[in-house]
Amino acid sequence: MLYHLLYPLSQDYTVFNVFRYITFRSIYALLTALLISIVLGPKFIEWLRKIKFGQYIQEDGPKHQNKAGTPTMGGLLIGASLLGSVFLWGDLTNKFLWLTIFVFLGFGLVGFVDDYLKIVKKQNKGLSAQTKFLGQTIVALGVVSILVNMPGYTTELLVPFFKDIRPDLYLFYIPFAIFVMVGASNAVNLTDGLDGLAIGPVVVCAACFALFVYVTGHSQLARYLQIAYIPGVGEVTVFCGAMVGAGLGFLWFNAYPAQIFMGDVGSLSLGGCLGFIAVLCKQELILVIVGGLFVVETISVILQVGYFKLSGGKRIFRMAPLHHHFELKGVPESKIIVRFWILSILLALVALSTLKLR
Ligand code: 57M
C-alpha cells in the first residue's frame, strides 16, 4: 500500500523514488514485520491464554510437562505481522507475490484446522495425516499449475554446481514441485519440537532465499551468476524480508523458555512457503542444502519408523525426530537449539557459495 501510495509521488518529490527499489522495501518489510510482532506479541499471548489455546503435551517423550498449557497457534501472530508488512511494502500488482501469499494462507489454513481440532475440539490427533497431506497437495497443485504457465517460468531443473545440466521435466515438473512444497512444509513441522528450533532455521532459510529470488529477478545479476532469469520474481524478496522480520519477532517470544509455540498453523505455512519460494526461483535442489537441518530431522523419522517396522520394534535413535534423541541423551534443550541454529547458518553459507561455484 505504501508502495502504491508513495511511489507515484516520486514524479514531484524525488525522495519517493526510493520506493522503487526492492532492496529498500525488503529491509523495511523486515523491520515492520519485526515491529508488528513485538508490539502485538504480549497482548496476543495474553489473549491465547485467556481463551485457553494452550498446548497439550504427550506423555511418552522427553519431559516437556512443564510446557503444558503454553499458548500455541503463534503462527497467527507470524501471519499477521508477515502479511501486514507485505501489504504495506509489496507491489500488489505482482502475480508472483500473490501466489506466495496464497501458499502461506492455504498451508496455514490446513494447519489452523489441525490446531483447532486439537485445542478446541480436544481431538488429540487433530487432522489425520492423509487429510493434512490432501489439503497441502491441493493448495500446492493449484499454485504450481498457475506458476508453470506464467511468462518467463520454465519447467527446467537447475542443478547446483553444474550450470550446463538443465533437464526439462515438462509435465513431471508439477508433481516434483508439489513434492518440494509438501515435503518442506512437513519437514518444518517435524522440526518444531523445541523452543526456537524451527523458527531459527526458517529465518536463516528466508534470508538466504531473499538473495536467491532477488538475483533471479535481476537480469544482469542472473546472467552474471548464470542462473535462471525470471522477470518479476524479484518482488518476492519483500515477502522473504517480511518472513525474516516476522520470524525474528516470533523468536523473541518463542526463545527458550518459550512463552508461545507456533502450532501447525505456523509450521505448515512457513515450510510450504519456503518450498514454494525455492520452486519460484528454480533453486529446488538448493533447498536441500539451505534447509539441510529440516531434511536431516525428516530422514531421522523415516529411518526410525522404517527400522521400527522392519525389526519388529527396535530403534536406531532413542527417539525421532533427531532433537528428541539428543534430549533423551541428556543434552540440555538450549544447547541442542543453538547447535542446530549454528548448523543451519553453516548450511546456508554452503548454499550461497553455489552461486559462484558453477
Ligand atoms: C509435531 N509437535 C511437537 C507445537 C508446535 C511420525 C512422527 C515422528 C510425528 C511426530 C510429530 O507428530 N511431529 C509433528 C511435533 C509439539 O509441538 C506442537 O506442535 C507444533 C508443531 N506442529 O508449534 O504447537 C511439542 O513440541 C514441543 N515444542 C517445544 N517448543 C516449541 O517451540 O518444546 C514445540 C514447539 C510441544 C512441546 O512439547 O507439545 C511434538 O513433538 O509433539 N511425532 C513425534 O515427534 C513423536 N515421536 C515419536 O513418536 N517417535 C517414535 C517413532 C517411532 C515415530 C520413536 O522415535 O520412537 C514425539 N513427540 C512427542 N513426544 N511430543 C513422541 C514423544
Side-chain angles (χ1 to χ4, degrees):
M1 238 113 67
L2 281 180
Y3 170 75
H4 296 284
L5 286 174
L6 299 179
Y7 180 50
L9 298 180
S10 62
Q11 284 168 353
D12 300 319
Y13 307 96
T14 50
V15 63
F16 291 113
N17 226 350
V18 76
F19 282 87
R20 211 181 86 204
Y21 299 109
I22 290 175
T23 42
F24 172 81
R25 288 185 287 113
S26 302
I27 291 170
Y28 278 87
L30 186 160
L31 295 173
T32 309
L34 179 63
L35 194 74
I36 298 177
S37 47
I38 290 192
V39 170
L40 290 186
K43 289 254 170 286
F44 183 70
I45 294 170
E46 206 183 294
W47 177 68
L48 286 176
R49 250 204 204 102
K50 216 152 133 197
I51 59 169
K52 299 205 168 22
F53 269 33
Q55 183 70 46
Y56 164 80
I57 306 283
Q58 280 175 244
E59 301 272 333
D60 55 347
K63 295 276 162 284
H64 279 199
Q65 299 315 324
N66 57 332
K67 299 181 185 222
T70 304
T72 186
M73 279 215 197
L76 294 177
L77 177 68
I78 299 176
S81 45
L82 195 166
L83 297 180
S85 173
V86 167
F87 286 133
L88 275 181
W89 295 101
D91 170 0
L92 300 178
T93 61
N94 184 289
K95 294 198 176 91
F96 294 109
L97 189 61
W98 277 107
L99 284 182
T100 318
I101 293 171
F102 183 77
V103 171
F104 187 84
L105 292 174
F107 278 76
L109 180 67
V110 177
F112 179 85
V113 175
D114 190 38
D115 285 337
Y116 185 83
L117 291 177
K118 278 187 215 155
I119 301 164
V120 180
K121 298 282 174 196
K122 308 274 181 234
Q123 295 177 9
N124 283 345
K125 298 255 175 261
L127 283 178
S128 71
Q130 291 89 331
T131 314
K132 235 195 249 186
F133 180 74
L134 183 70
Q136 293 169 310
T137 307
I138 291 171
V139 176
L141 176 66
V143 285
V144 173
S145 313
I146 299 173
L147 182 66
V148 292
N149 289 306
M150 302 241 311
Y153 197 81
T154 74
T155 49
E156 285 179 350
L157 179 68
L158 270 62
V159 180
F161 303 112
F162 300 99
K163 66 176 188 299
D164 295 325
I165 305 181
R166 290 180 170 213
D168 197 333
L169 302 186
Y170 299 103
L171 265 187
F172 291 107
Y173 187 79
I174 294 181
F176 169 71
I178 294 172
F179 170 76
V180 172
M181 291 171 66
V182 175
S185 175
N186 290 323
V188 172
N189 188 32
L190 285 175
T191 307
D192 190 27
L194 295 180
D195 301 352
L197 188 70
I199 197 66
V202 162
V203 166
V204 173
C205 287
C208 193
F209 274 112
L211 207 98
F212 277 110
V213 281
Y214 181 73
V215 293
T216 305
H218 193 293
S219 61
Q220 282 132 316
L221 287 175
R223 200 176 318 120
Y224 171 68
L225 293 167
Q226 298 181 317
I227 56 167
Y229 166 55
I230 307 168
V233 157
E235 190 61 32
V236 178
T237 316
V238 177
F239 188 96
C240 293
M243 198 161 161
V244 172
L248 288 175
F250 176 72
L251 182 58
W252 192 268
F253 304 105
N254 182 232
Y256 180 83
Q259 296 157 267
I260 187 170
F261 298 154
M262 68 170 83
D264 280 30
V265 62
S267 58
L268 297 187
S269 55
L270 291 171
C273 270
L274 286 178
F276 180 66
I277 293 167
V279 166
L280 206 55
C281 61
K282 311 243 35 101
Q283 298 293 347
E284 304 89 347
L285 299 181
I286 286 289
L287 180 63
V288 179
I289 305 176
V290 187
L293 199 79
F294 302 125
V295 175
V296 169
E297 290 266 46
T298 308
I299 290 175
S300 77
V301 170
I302 296 170
L303 290 177
Q304 180 92 328
V305 175
Y307 189 69
F308 189 86
K309 283 186 180 156
L310 288 176
S311 67
K314 286 194 193 147
R315 289 179 165 85
I316 301 174
F317 305 103
R318 292 195 180 185
M319 183 165 271
L322 196 59
H323 54 263
H324 284 323
H325 172 76
F326 292 117
E327 266 191 295
L328 291 176
K329 277 186 85 174
V331 184
E333 177 170 351
S334 51
K335 206 180 224 13
I336 303 171
I337 299 159
V338 174
R339 284 185 175 165
F340 274 40
W341 286 351
I342 294 173
L343 285 177
S344 86
I345 294 170
L346 292 177
L347 287 164
L349 291 175
V350 173
L352 287 175
S353 76
T354 64
L355 278 173
K356 290 302 283 175
L357 296 176
R358 265 155 212 272

